Amino acid sequence: LQCRMECRDVPAETLYDVLHDIEYRKKWDTNVIETFDIGRLTANSDVGYYAWRCPKPLKNRDVVTLRSWLPMGSDYIIMNYSVKHPKYPPRKDMVRAVSIQTGYLIEGTGAKSCTITYLAQVDPKGSLPKWVVNKSSQFLAPKAMKKMYKACLKYPEWKQKHDPHFKPWLFPEQSRLPALALSELSLQHADSLENIDESSLAE
């Protein structure tokens, strides 16, 4: 799945902040059930948990991912992939999805404009019917991008009122996360998770 969007009136660094800011995400991302950072690996990588609502009759999904980021002048990259963390095993009430490789490339195109390219290789687990997969790439991804764009327009005002100087993704010394060792984690392979058969669901 690849999706690209031009963002007018949004500087690249604002979009980068919005993608990182977990407190703000709880405000604008209406699909989020729960999201939190688990720990920090290096100055520019961490591990986090994200659970989201899926349209009925599908089961809700969650992921544990290792995320790393790199600012390059007016461009930014954020990448993530699924890992296993001993304290956050798959839950009974969710289907654990797998991010094989998901990334955002933000390119500054002017002082107040940028483009974002979203690239996702995700195994949602569960034997999903073809129409669900097709619909999510045609319809859900662009819709999510539009919602994110609107969130970017409102972010500077929101951030002014909510810990305006706290941006650990820019200033690692601000991080309040416990340090994690890479040895505590392992790669989450899709084939080790149970498949829940949702393939017979009608559109």
Side-chain angles (χ1 to χ4, degrees):
L1 164 64
Q2 187 174 348
C3 195
R4 190 178 160 86
M5 178 174 68
E6 308 268 337
C7 301
R8 294 199 189 110
D9 305 317
V10 174
E13 57 268 27
T14 301
L15 182 44
Y16 184 62
D17 286 352
V18 167
L19 286 172
H20 274 287
D21 198 321
I22 203 162
E23 291 311 311
Y24 189 53
R25 179 170 280 272
K26 293 169 190 172
K27 286 265 175 290
W28 68 266
D29 183 352
T30 48
N31 297 321
V32 70
I33 296 171
E34 192 181 4
T35 184
F36 52 85
D37 294 325
I38 294 168
R40 170 173 66 96
L41 286 158
T42 65
N44 68 327
S45 62
D46 63 15
V47 174
Y49 175 86
Y50 179 72
W52 71 97
R53 280 179 201 88
C54 290
K56 288 195 165 23
L58 301 177
K59 285 191 142 193
N60 295 332
R61 298 296 198 264
D62 69 355
V63 281
V64 174
T65 57
L66 190 160
R67 178 176 64 160
S68 53
W69 54 91
L70 184 66
M72 302 174 299
S74 60
D75 300 345
Y76 302 86
I77 290 178
I78 303 177
M79 300 294 286
N80 76 52
Y81 58 88
S82 281
V83 288
K84 283 185 197 175
H85 188 291
K87 290 195 179 120
Y88 302 94
R91 292 163 43 165
K92 291 267 190 294
D93 56 335
M94 302 257 180
V95 175
R96 177 64 49 95
V98 177
S99 163
I100 300 160
Q101 184 81 302
T102 303
Y104 297 94
L105 170 64
I106 304 163
E107 295 168 282
T109 52
K112 280 197 161 181
S113 63
C114 63
T115 62
I116 178 168
T117 306
Y118 170 65
L119 188 69
Q121 272 185 292
V122 176
D123 186 335
K125 297 311 293 177
S127 311
L128 289 169
K130 274 281 190 299
W131 62 263
V132 170
V133 181
N134 291 340
K135 241 189 186 148
S136 59
S137 53
Q138 285 162 11
F139 177 70
L140 295 176
K143 198 175 162 192
M145 296 278 258
K146 282 198 185 88
K147 196 187 286 179
M148 191 199 310
Y149 172 65
K150 283 185 178 151
C152 288
L153 295 173
K154 294 176 181 164
Y155 183 68
E157 192 188 347
W158 180 88
K159 189 63 177 164
Q160 275 302 303
K161 300 177 188 136
H162 299 84
D163 224 346
H165 302 294
F166 183 67
K167 293 185 178 183
W169 53 93
L170 296 181
F171 312 109
E173 66 280 2
Q174 295 181 342
S175 181
R176 302 163 188 162
L177 292 176
L180 272 180
L182 204 50
S183 57
E184 294 177 60
L185 308 167
S186 56
L187 259 182
Q188 175 69 72
H189 294 292
D191 51 16
S192 69
L193 291 164
E194 63 168 328
N195 255 328
I196 289 165
D197 192 2
E198 298 170 291
S199 57
S200 60
L201 298 173
E203 187 167 357

